[in-house]
Amino acid sequence: MDRIDRISRSASQRRSFGWRGRKRNSLTPRSTLFPCPGCQRDIDLGERGINGLFRNFTLETIVERYRQAARAAIAIMCDFCKPPPQESTKSCMDCSASYCNECFKIHHPWGTLKAQHEYVGPTTNFRPKILMCPEHEMERVNMYCEICRRPVCHLCKLGGCHANHRVTTMSTAYKTLKEKLSKDIEYLISKESQVKAHITQLDLLLKETECNSERAKQEASQSFEKLYHVLEEKKSAALRAIETSKNIRLEKLQTQVEEYQGLLENNGLVGYAQEVLKETDPSCFVQTAKQLHVRIQKATESLKTFRPAAETTFEDFVVDIAKQEDILGDLSFHSNGLEIPEINEEQSRMYNQALISWECPGKTDSADIYVLEYHKLNREEENVTWQKTEVCGKSKVVSDLDDDSSYAFRVRGYKGSICSPWSREVILRTPPAPVFSFLFDDKCGYNNEHLQLNPRRTSVESRAGFPLLLGSERLQVGCYTTLDYIIGDTGIAKGKHFWAFRVEAYSYLVKVGVVPSNKIQKLFHSTHDVTSPRYEQDSGHDSGSEDAFFDSSQPCTLVTLGMKKFFIPTTPAALKDPASRILPLPSCLGICLDCDRGRVGFYDAGRMKCLYECEVDCSGIMYPAFALMGGAAVHLEEAATAKYREYNDDI
């Protein structure tokens, strides 16, 4: 309808104005716009009219093939016999006429040019032997324009509208398009069972929609009957709404059934494509096959992303009859009055388990119970299966999730038989490996003069007080302030593990990573455990060279954090520009250690995105390692169950 309206407006404008805005007069050529049935673009016939278009000989042949099958019992009579005419036995493609045996011998005698004419069985379809160019009537098309996607002749390429376009030979285009179309047809035929399964499913959905709509109408009728004296108007309105919704859904599902019916072999699109493949003339085949290939590609995509066009449930049409008579005038469907919950992404998180929290915009408990649904995002699965759980509060811990996977979550509220619409879907990603639990070690190398642990040993803080001030006196004579190291109290011997932590935004310098057991002593007694020589006024070192020396000299694998930044270590393959190695510090960081592969990765734990990965020597038992200097603090991420208990206590 939009295209028809556009054509109508264009035609109206053309009646009022000539080409390029001039007033129409007797010398202005008349032009006509119409939508092309193949590519759906508006075509202007111009002065030449329909003669300026290609004839679709492939389609003509297919139509004639079926016409002949339909009138197989009706004979084609000779065009030259005296009455009564005899049944023709052959047709001459050059003369465009049908002949019986006697008339053919008379009009095509031996030894003449007519004897060389091409003849076929009796037919009424006389098409030219060669596809001619509509722009240059005396030239045959022998090339294919890859820009305009249409056959052209050599004059079109030399000086016509295709002069600067990229062209290919007709045989190449014929071979390429035929291979693509053949593969598409083979794919659709191989998916015939899948199409039939989808049609069966849609038939069931149609029946289920019918049953559920009837059930919804009955329930609505019963509710309104109880309060008939004030609800008569509401009753009829509700029934009309349900009926309208049912018709819309049935129409969508029926349309989807018809679309998939067309994908079956010998029906619709596939049947038409199979007939096109029988075309042997390259020019004619290329002319038709391109648009058909696009249509088949769209049909193929619909198979990969199948989803019913309409819902079968009528939960949106449940009527609340528990309200008092003084508010019956505001009685309506469930979506009015019951707030839609919203998942709080800041309080929700993924760690050893998923903690999903939500709230209502009005901050009131408008629902008695909530239903949380979630499913794993998988591109290979066509039908999504949601897992459901009922929750009395406004948060839920979800277990048994796969590692290194993305999950979608949504929630809705229920109050009696009334339910709210689903909340916006929130996607969270699980850690790349099982969560490794440990605490800070308060014995091995722990410096209680510079570092302070909380009683649970889940947080460590660097005291940037008198030790740093006293150390500053030695800066002028070449001594450097040391880093204070602390490790985890549990080691890793094999497997793949992940742990997360938070670094306070005010932290000046923090290093995090892993250290093998055979190098722990070297870590705490290394003479190179110093900060940058930049602290010495006359060191002569720049930050880039110092960082490379410092990282390469350490007995452990560490990355640097500080001043709200994440610094990617210098490597031979890294970019030389220091700015390209500086990233914003995530609110939560994670480390993934794969002992079997000898790799360690550093992650933005909020998005589960890897920021940096490198090789690591896992010959010994590996321990989480941390180093702090100046004012800094690190907090280990706790299990979701512990966070869940704290959250409930706060409530």
Side-chain angles (χ1 to χ4, degrees):
M1 294 303 296
D2 293 339
R3 190 181 298 109
I4 293 174
D5 182 62
R6 185 168 65 254
I7 294 173
S8 300
R9 290 197 303 269
S10 177
S12 176
Q13 293 174 359
R14 291 176 181 273
R15 284 194 295 269
S16 301
F17 297 94
W19 185 252
R20 296 181 181 175
R22 296 193 299 269
K23 281 290 185 179
R24 177 173 293 282
N25 53 50
S26 59
L27 298 178
T28 303
R30 183 180 300 276
S31 61
T32 304
L33 278 176
F34 75 98
C36 174
C39 62
Q40 302 301 320
R41 291 184 298 178
D42 291 340
I43 305 300
D44 190 349
L45 290 181
E47 298 181 14
R48 299 186 60 196
I50 198 172
N51 292 326
L53 301 177
F54 278 114
R55 285 180 61 184
N56 194 330
F57 293 130
T58 301
L59 182 58
E60 290 181 14
T61 302
I62 295 174
V63 172
E64 180 60 25
R65 192 179 299 152
Y66 280 91
R67 283 180 177 174
Q68 290 182 0
R71 58 172 181 254
I74 303 176
I76 299 176
M77 310 309 293
C78 178
D79 295 329
F80 296 91
C81 283
K82 296 180 180 179
Q86 300 295 319
E87 182 177 343
S88 63
T89 57
K90 54 181 67 69
S91 297
C92 179
M93 302 304 293
D94 295 276
C95 301
S96 298
S98 298
Y99 302 86
C100 63
N101 286 332
E102 296 299 326
C103 292
F104 186 81
K105 294 177 181 179
I106 295 174
H107 292 84
H108 296 77
W110 289 100
T112 64
L113 292 177
K114 283 191 174 184
Q116 306 299 321
H117 285 187
E118 178 186 359
Y119 63 90
V120 295
T123 182
T124 58
N125 181 31
F126 301 100
R127 74 178 192 182
K129 295 181 179 179
I130 302 173
L131 185 63
M132 308 301 291
C133 177
E135 299 292 335
H136 310 91
E137 298 181 358
M138 301 303 294
E139 299 293 334
R140 62 175 294 178
V141 294
N142 53 6
M143 292 179 289
Y144 181 74
C145 178
E146 296 181 352
I147 305 299
C148 301
R149 298 179 179 179
R150 60 171 292 175
V152 296
C153 69
H154 70 283
L155 293 181
C156 293
K157 173 60 180 174
L158 291 176
C161 56
H162 305 272
N164 297 322
H165 292 183
R166 185 174 65 254
V167 298
T168 185
T169 61
M170 190 63 67
S171 59
T172 301
Y174 170 79
K175 181 180 179 181
T176 301
L177 282 175
K178 191 158 189 175
E179 288 178 354
K180 290 182 179 179
L181 194 57
S182 299
K183 290 180 180 178
D184 290 339
I185 295 301
E186 290 175 0
Y187 178 81
L188 287 179
I189 293 176
S190 66
K191 295 293 182 179
E192 183 173 4
S193 59
Q194 181 181 349
V195 175
K196 290 181 178 179
H198 289 169
I199 293 174
T200 302
Q201 181 182 356
L202 290 171
D203 289 336
L204 294 176
L205 293 177
L206 286 170
K207 295 178 181 179
E208 187 177 352
T209 302
E210 289 278 7
C211 296
N212 290 342
S213 67
E214 293 300 324
R215 186 183 302 110
K217 286 194 291 185
Q218 291 176 5
E219 293 175 356
S221 297
Q222 292 174 1
S223 300
F224 280 109
E225 287 294 340
K226 295 179 182 179
L227 304 170
Y228 184 80
H229 59 286
V230 292
L231 300 178
E232 187 61 33
E233 273 189 12
K234 296 283 185 177
K235 172 184 174 181
S236 58
L239 294 178
R240 286 196 301 270
I242 294 173
E243 188 67 26
T244 300
S245 179
K246 182 197 75 172
N247 292 335
I248 293 174
R249 299 181 193 189
L250 291 177
E251 182 179 357
K252 290 181 179 179
L253 292 173
Q254 187 61 48
T255 300
Q256 197 171 14
V257 170
E258 294 173 359
E259 291 176 357
Y260 278 91
Q261 286 282 5
L263 300 183
L264 296 177
E265 188 176 6
N266 299 326
N267 287 335
L269 183 61
V270 175
Y272 175 49
Q274 289 174 330
E275 294 299 331
V276 171
L277 287 174
K278 297 177 182 178
E279 175 60 49
T280 57
D281 187 287
S283 301
C284 300
F285 179 82
V286 170
Q287 178 191 11
T288 307
K290 183 59 184 177
Q291 297 299 330
L292 181 58
H293 175 60
V294 173
R295 291 173 60 190
I296 290 179
Q297 281 186 323
K298 292 180 179 179
T300 303
E301 290 297 326
S302 69
L303 290 178
K304 299 178 181 178
T305 58
F306 172 76
R307 179 176 293 180
E311 295 287 341
T312 62
T313 62
F314 281 76
E315 297 173 340
D316 297 343
F317 298 90
V318 177
V319 179
D320 182 13
I321 62 172
K323 297 182 180 179
Q324 296 81 356
E325 290 186 1
D326 57 346
I327 59 172
L328 287 179
D330 297 328
L331 185 65
S332 59
F333 294 114
H334 73 276
S335 57
N336 293 334
L338 192 58
E339 295 180 342
I340 304 175
E342 296 179 358
I343 296 180
N344 190 324
E345 295 189 51
E346 294 182 358
Q347 294 184 357
S348 301
R349 67 191 187 100
M350 282 278 202
Y351 197 42
N352 63 322
Q353 296 171 322
L355 170 61
I356 309 300
S357 301
W358 57 89
E359 57 188 18
C360 296
K363 306 298 181 182
T364 59
D365 292 330
S366 58
D368 298 331
I369 195 171
Y370 295 91
V371 172
L372 174 67
E373 287 191 349
Y374 61 95
H375 75 89
K376 181 179 178 180
L377 299 182
N378 191 339
R379 295 182 179 179
E380 297 179 358
E381 294 183 3
E382 298 180 359
N383 298 324
V384 175
T385 302
W386 290 86
Q387 300 185 53
K388 183 185 300 185
T389 178
E390 293 187 358
V391 186
C392 295
K394 292 185 178 179
S395 61
K396 177 67 177 178
V397 174
V398 181
S399 306
D400 300 328
L401 301 180
D402 296 336
D403 296 330
D404 200 16
S405 302
S406 296
Y407 285 83
F409 297 87
R410 66 181 184 181
V411 66
R412 75 190 314 175
Y414 282 84
K415 191 176 184 66
S417 59
I418 305 171
C419 63
S420 71
W422 288 107
S423 67
R424 178 180 60 88
E425 292 185 14
V426 172
I427 297 176
L428 299 176
R429 188 167 185 83
T430 57
V435 170
F436 175 62
S437 298
F438 66 92
L439 299 175
F440 286 116
D441 195 329
D442 58 352
K443 296 179 177 61
C444 181
Y446 172 60
N447 188 340
N448 56 6
E449 294 182 1
H450 295 173
L451 301 178
Q452 181 178 4
L453 283 172
N454 68 340
R456 292 189 297 167
R457 293 192 288 138
T458 58
S459 297
V460 62
E461 184 177 1
S462 174
R463 300 176 180 178
F466 285 105
L468 183 61
L469 294 177
L470 293 175
S472 66
E473 295 181 355
R474 298 189 294 271
L475 294 180
Q476 298 178 359
V477 294
C479 295
Y480 313 132
T481 305
T482 61
L483 286 164
D484 295 306
Y485 287 86
I486 189 169
I487 63 173
D489 62 354
T490 307
I492 301 172
K494 61 180 179 179
K496 189 175 181 181
H497 304 273
F498 178 87
W499 61 92
F501 53 90
R502 290 177 289 109
V503 176
E504 290 290 350
Y506 64 77
S507 299
Y508 175 69
L509 177 63
V510 177
K511 285 183 174 287
V512 297
V514 293
V515 58
S517 56
N518 55 3
K519 295 183 180 180
I520 290 180
Q521 290 299 114
K522 183 179 178 182
L523 177 71
F524 289 107
H525 298 89
S526 174
T527 58
H528 295 292
D529 280 351
V530 295
T531 59
S532 170
R534 66 169 66 93
Y535 290 104
E536 184 180 0
Q537 296 178 356
D538 298 327
S539 67
H541 288 71
D542 59 23
S543 60
S545 61
E546 173 273 322
D547 285 340
F549 165 78
F550 181 80
D551 290 334
S552 63
S553 65
Q554 294 305 298
C556 53
T557 303
L558 301 171
V559 296
T560 304
L561 317 171
M563 296 181 290
K564 300 181 181 181
K565 302 295 182 183
F566 179 95
F567 299 88
I568 298 177
T570 303
T571 61
L575 298 176
K576 300 302 181 182
D577 183 13
S580 63
R581 300 189 292 109
I582 301 176
L583 304 176
L585 181 65
S587 59
C588 185
L589 286 126
I591 296 179
C592 181
L593 176 63
D594 190 343
C595 293
D596 299 334
R597 294 177 56 237
R599 307 281 301 179
V600 61
F602 299 86
Y603 282 73
D604 176 350
R607 297 181 298 165
M608 292 300 170
K609 178 183 178 182
C610 185
L611 305 177
Y612 171 70
E613 188 179 31
C614 63
E615 295 182 358
V616 63
D617 181 11
C618 297
S619 56
I621 299 177
M622 308 299 293
Y623 289 86
F626 303 84
L628 297 84
M629 192 195 80
V634 177
H635 310 281
L636 297 180
E637 191 76 353
E638 298 186 45
T641 51
K643 192 80 174 178
Y644 178 56
R645 286 194 295 269
E646 292 177 5
Y647 180 66
N648 281 345
D649 294 341
D650 294 340
I651 294 177

